[in-house]
Structures are given as structure tokens and as C-alpha cells.
Amino acid sequence: MSETLDQARAVRAEDGFDIAKVDGWLKAHIGGLDGAPELAQFAGGASNLTYLLTYPGRELVLRRAPPGASVKSAHDMTREARVMAALKPHYPLVPEILAICDDASVLGQSFYAMERLRGTILRRDIPKALGLDADATRRLCLGFWDRLVDLHRIDARTPALQHLGK
């Protein structure tokens, strides 16, 4: 299955949450949010849930563990956000982390909000809508590997990253 980030859909009932409560928290921690957000959910993902919050003139992506998640290491949203925030100055393709919430009274668990980066989520099958021939598919794959190499070239011993551990 492949999708573009534009293919957010209605939130599944079992993945819903009190958007008004989250909206209030976000507005208290992120400047420039006006009005009530529209909420949608991105499909897929290995274990954690990803949502699109659309405000007038601004889009945010919210990540959280699924309701009832019990494996802390697989659903540590705070760590995920802190790793991305620490990487951002060294790897500009990481989205900016806008706010991290570890107050369970807001959503029932930790979550974070980040800037929305538009792009294509590549899964097993490349989206036909991209119209890629064999040569363009090869360039896409090589570009992916180049970005992965760039990421692995970052010196994890720098003070800004050293605290992350393994």
C-alpha cells in the first residue's frame, strides 16, 4: 500500500480523542494557532498513530501511541520527539518539533506536535500517481539511500546528540 501525505482520512472511532482539550493545550504551547482545527488521521504506521490537525493557515502533525499501549519502549513519544529535535540542527530533513506533552491529563498519554512536511510515504508499492518509469524509480531509490547515508554521517558524539544514548 502506498499513499501521499495528502491522503489523510477520517479518524477511526477507536483512535479518536478529545480534540477540544488537545486544541487548548496546543494553543497554550504553540503560537499562531487560530480557530478550531479539523482532524484527520494518516493510514498505516507500524505502531504509533499519526494525525493531521488543520488550522486556518497552518497544519500540524500529531503523533501518539495507540490507546491502551503497554510496551513503553515501542511507544515512547517523548523520546521520539526529543531524538528528532536533537537531529534537526544536523539533518534539516527532520520536521521541527513544536511541542511535547507528557501530561497524561490532556490526551491520556504523551504526544507531540510537529510541523507538517509534505511528501510521499513509500511503502511496498510506489504510488502509480507519481508516474515513475524504471529510470525515475531508480533515481528515487538512490536518493533515498543518499539521505540515509547523510543521516548516518552525523557524529552522534556531538554534545547535542550524545545524551540520547544508543
Side-chain angles (χ1 to χ4, degrees), residues 68-84:
S70 59
V71 181
K72 297 283 186 215
S73 61
H75 305 289
D76 189 344
M77 295 292 91
T78 302
R79 178 169 170 72
E80 182 175 297
R82 289 197 172 113
V83 167
M84 289 174 31

Side-chain angles (χ1 to χ4, degrees), residues 4 17 38 58 60 66 72 80 94 117-118 130 146 164:
T4 65
F17 57 86
E38 291 181 25
R58 188 141 189 216
L60 308 178
K72 297 283 186 215
E80 182 175 297
V94 173
L117 297 179
R118 291 184 177 269
L130 291 178
D146 288 343
L164 297 174

